[in-house]
Amino acid sequence: MTRRSTRRIEILPDHVANQIAAGEVVERPASVVKELVENAIDAGARRVDIGLRNGGKTEIRVSDDGSGMEEGDALLAIERHATSKIRSANDLRAVRSFGFRGEALPSIAAVSRFELHTAVRAGEGVRVRVDFGRIRGADAVARRRGTTVSVRALFHDLPARAKFLKTAAAETRAAGEALVLLALANPGVGFRLVSNRRTSLDLAPARDTLGRIGQMWADLAATLIPVGKAEGDVRVHGFVQRPDAARARGGRRYAFVNDRPFRDPGLVRLVDEAFRTTVVEGLRPSLFLWIEIPPERVDVNVHPAKAEVRFRDRQQVETAVQRAVRNALARLDSTKPIGPSAARVASGRGGGDGHPERGREAVEMPQFALFVSGRDDKDPGSTDERGVDSHAPDDAEAFSGPELWQLHDRYILAATREGLLIVDQHSAHERVLYEEIMARFEAGGGTSQALLFPATLQFSPPEAAALEDLSGFLRRLGFELEPFGDRTWLLRAAPAPHARFDPERCLREMVRELAEGSPLVDSARNQHERIAMSMACKGAIKAGQHISPEEARELFDRLFATELPGHDVHGRPTIVRLSVEELDRRFGRH
């Protein structure tokens, strides 16, 4: 008797396979909004309107003025793996469009009541209707050029999926955030989002990326500074927030690669690392970063929703990002201004056509070109196209430096070509000492000066234990200590960072802070940083100490020789800028 075989493996019907595939592409209404708006942008749309009902659970409607489709293409568009973006596997290595897999429309149509209205020219178009993966018809309709997609009853046939959707308000917020990403990546496109007949976002085409940011967050845009750096064929540009404007919550952080939004917590951590010692620990500066890289050197096909990417040479990208942000923080425009200050774009591409002016490498100029010489009797209003005084000397040797004034034994004032710098002498000296101490550690140690009479210092038990642990580091810093009984040391030599330095007081305060901890030293990554931060804070010139013009000049010059002259080690500004424009505004000259 022949045993009858039972087939256990079956090929799924197309509509079932599409519903399974939809699980990767369509997670929630926001996923639908993202895919449909990306299609509209790929079609060359200059205006995209999005309508939601019940957070998109009842209906999502996306209309655009893009190129539209003929009837044949409209029918093919709802077939899986039908796409106009690629023709071969090689094309995947150079994808620049948002969509390219040919999965979005069939996946959406598999889990909804789906209608596609489209026309390549005003007049006769086509309407395609699909109910949960089954084509119900295609007929002619009159419409304008472009495409409108209506998605109703999302997941109605899949209650297990529908129950995981959040409230209508939460789904609306998610859809809005998806649209914000696309709006940032495409400033030349206008967008409108209407939810339950209420307009929640209405953006006209913007001139550039900063204009688009300003449309959505005007106050934030005024605190941004341009970022720009190239490393080989990788270019990073965009904006980061001035350190003084950073907040613990609410920071907006967006990254794009070749205009495609993506998530990468590792790169965001690198940016936070670049901000170290310029902001208080725990603050979150906003960032808007674009990475331009040859498309064959980044894989955008590693995530079902294309939310993540993989770089062929990640180290090169990381280096470019960190240097771009660090360079921006080293510039004077990263310091705190008095009065309103809009972000400036050093240079960029595009203009009224909507191509972004996202910031580029800042114009390189010698430091002395920023200031008004104390001996310069020429007209300071005569400037070249960069805003630099045309009478400025050709080299630093011919430049006497700006005139400096000490104000209330706390601040040093210096005239610049654009106004006035106000330098906090204590914070400035902190930055100078911190970087000089770290450099000494890297070089193997610093110099010390013998005390005329050794100082006898006694410490508490916790302080004595800390001193034992740190004695080697302190010796490299220049402190020569000798045990002298129970919890007692002789201080025989010490560094001499300035004429008013009190080595005994500085060492006591340092040891106490290092033993007990503080927000400053607790933020350090290692013992070198802990000691350098503490020494810089305790050893710096104090507010209220009078300094001579020569000392002020030396401090000023040393400050502008540091990597980050505008910020002390606590995350506070060392410099505040007051522009002539702001003074004119205060005096009613505008």
Side-chain angles (χ1 to χ4, degrees):
M1 184 175 178
T2 304
R3 186 175 179 180
R4 195 171 183 180
S5 63
T6 303
R7 190 169 64 183
R8 299 170 61 188
I9 298 176
E10 299 282 350
I11 296 176
L12 293 173
D14 285 347
H15 73 282
V16 177
N18 280 338
Q19 287 187 344
I20 294 172
E24 293 186 341
V25 178
V26 185
E27 299 175 0
R28 60 193 306 185
S31 309
V32 176
V33 170
K34 171 183 175 292
E35 297 290 345
L36 296 181
V37 173
E38 285 182 347
N39 282 351
I41 294 168
D42 285 342
R46 303 290 290 179
R47 178 79 191 183
V48 184
D49 292 307
I50 303 95
L52 303 177
R53 282 198 294 148
N54 193 26
K57 292 184 279 188
T58 300
E59 184 180 21
I60 301 166
R61 186 179 180 89
V62 176
S63 300
D64 68 65
D65 60 357
S67 58
M69 290 179 281
E70 302 278 6
E71 181 178 353
D73 284 342
L75 289 168
L76 275 176
I78 57 174
E79 298 289 338
R80 289 191 68 198
H81 308 308
T83 177
S84 63
K85 315 299 171 48
I86 58 175
R87 290 292 182 265
S88 69
N90 288 335
D91 293 339
L92 284 171
R93 301 190 185 99
V95 171
R96 285 199 175 272
S97 59
F98 283 109
F100 54 87
R101 294 179 183 146
E103 292 180 329
L105 291 186
S107 295
I108 296 168
V111 292
S112 67
R113 290 193 174 95
F114 176 93
E115 283 195 13
L116 169 68
H117 297 233
T118 186
V120 295
R121 64 189 64 85
E124 187 172 297
V126 62
R127 176 180 66 172
V128 178
R129 292 176 291 116
V130 183
D131 282 356
F132 302 98
R134 295 182 174 88
I135 297 177
R136 296 303 188 192
D139 46 29
V141 294
R143 62 160 290 125
R144 60 176 174 79
R145 179 181 183 268
T147 300
T148 299
V149 177
S150 173
V151 176
R152 292 178 290 117
L154 185 66
F155 299 143
H156 178 77
D157 270 13
L158 298 169
R161 297 282 304 280
K163 72 178 183 180
F164 284 102
L165 295 179
K166 300 185 184 300
T167 64
E171 295 298 343
T172 300
R173 284 195 298 271
E177 182 60 25
L179 187 59
V180 162
L181 286 169
L182 293 167
L184 286 169
N186 300 274
V189 179
F191 298 91
R192 181 172 60 182
L193 174 62
V194 177
S195 175
N196 295 333
R197 298 184 179 179
R198 293 185 59 185
T199 300
S200 57
L201 189 67
D202 194 354
L203 304 173
R207 180 178 182 271
D208 52 38
T209 304
L210 187 59
R212 176 51 49 89
I213 296 170
Q215 286 177 328
M216 294 187 281
W217 310 292
D219 291 344
L220 171 60
T223 69
L224 299 178
I225 57 175
V227 165
K229 182 66 178 176
E231 291 285 332
D233 55 4
V234 176
R235 180 173 170 245
V236 177
H237 51 100
F239 301 92
V240 294
Q241 195 169 26
R242 285 196 326 265
D244 69 278
R247 299 292 180 264
R249 295 183 179 180
R252 300 192 175 275
R253 311 185 129 194
Y254 300 104
F256 305 82
V257 58
N258 295 342
D259 286 333
R260 181 188 302 279
F262 73 105
R263 295 192 304 258
D264 194 322
L267 283 181
V268 172
R269 284 194 295 272
L270 276 178
V271 174
D272 286 334
E273 181 68 17
F275 269 90
R276 287 193 75 256
T277 76
T278 70
V279 295
V280 176
E281 190 78 8
L283 297 188
R284 288 169 46 90
S286 293
L287 60 97
F288 302 82
L289 292 182
W290 276 259
I291 299 170
E292 289 185 5
I293 188 170
E296 65 273 11
R297 301 194 58 209
V298 57
D299 187 353
V300 299
N301 197 29
V302 298
H303 188 273
K306 301 189 284 287
E308 298 172 4
V309 301
R310 181 181 295 128
F311 297 104
R312 182 176 296 178
D313 186 349
R314 184 175 178 86
Q315 182 61 48
Q316 183 186 23
V317 174
E318 290 182 347
T319 299
V321 168
Q322 201 160 32
R323 287 180 178 174
V325 176
R326 204 70 171 173
N327 288 355
L329 295 176
R331 297 198 312 266
L332 271 180
D333 59 348
S334 74
T335 60
K336 185 175 182 176
I338 295 176
S341 174
R344 294 186 177 184
V345 180
S347 182
R349 56 191 171 99
D353 60 355
H355 289 294
E357 285 187 4
R358 291 181 181 134
R360 202 179 59 165
E361 292 79 12
V363 176
E364 294 293 335
M365 63 178 69
Q367 177 190 309
F368 61 80
L370 300 171
F371 298 101
V372 177
S373 171
R375 292 201 302 261
D376 190 356
D377 58 359
K378 302 291 185 180
D379 176 13
S382 179
T383 61
D384 64 15
E385 66 275 6
R386 297 179 303 173
V388 178
D389 194 327
S390 58
H391 298 300
D394 293 331
D395 55 56
E397 291 183 2
F399 181 64
S400 65
E403 282 195 61
L404 302 177
W405 305 271
Q406 189 186 31
L407 178 65
H408 296 303
D409 293 340
R410 282 178 173 82
Y411 304 107
I412 300 171
L413 310 184
T416 71
R417 310 249 170 230
E418 294 185 346
L420 184 71
L421 294 188
I422 305 170
V423 179
D424 182 318
Q425 66 186 37
H426 174 70
S427 296
H429 202 207
E430 269 191 5
R431 169 53 62 181
V432 168
L433 291 182
Y434 173 74
E435 293 196 13
E436 290 179 352
I437 292 167
M438 290 299 293
R440 287 193 202 113
F441 275 137
E442 291 182 11
T447 60
S448 61
Q449 182 174 307
L451 303 184
L452 187 60
F453 300 104
T456 303
L457 307 177
Q458 189 170 33
F459 297 94
S460 69
E463 293 169 350
L467 187 57
E468 287 281 1
D469 293 339
L470 300 171
S471 58
F473 294 100
L474 293 172
R475 188 178 305 111
R476 291 172 62 190
L477 195 57
F479 288 100
E480 292 185 14
L481 291 158
E482 178 184 317
F484 192 68
D486 184 34
R487 296 185 279 111
T488 304
W489 274 262
L490 288 180
L491 177 62
R492 295 191 175 277
H498 59 90
R500 293 166 186 76
F501 181 64
D502 183 341
E504 181 179 343
R505 176 181 174 183
C506 177
L507 183 62
R508 286 188 182 279
E509 291 180 352
M510 283 176 60
V511 172
R512 185 181 303 116
E513 181 175 50
L514 294 168
E516 298 175 357
S518 71
L520 174 63
V521 298
D522 292 345
S523 68
R525 294 173 298 184
N526 52 49
Q527 289 285 35
H528 284 161
E529 279 195 0
R530 292 182 79 234
I531 293 171
M533 286 176 168
S534 185
M535 170 73 181
C537 179
K538 310 307 179 188
I541 293 169
K542 308 301 181 192
Q545 286 185 332
H546 181 76
I547 59 177
S548 68
E550 293 76 20
E551 289 173 316
R553 167 73 56 206
E554 181 186 5
L555 176 57
F556 195 83
D557 292 344
R558 288 166 70 191
L559 175 64
F560 280 92
T562 64
E563 182 186 5
L564 296 171
H567 318 279
D568 75 3
V569 296
H570 295 271
R572 300 178 304 218
T574 63
I575 298 168
V576 171
R577 290 175 290 129
L578 177 59
S579 68
V580 172
E581 181 182 8
E582 177 63 17
L583 284 170
D584 287 344
R585 189 181 72 83
R586 297 290 181 102
F587 282 103
R589 292 183 180 273
H590 286 279

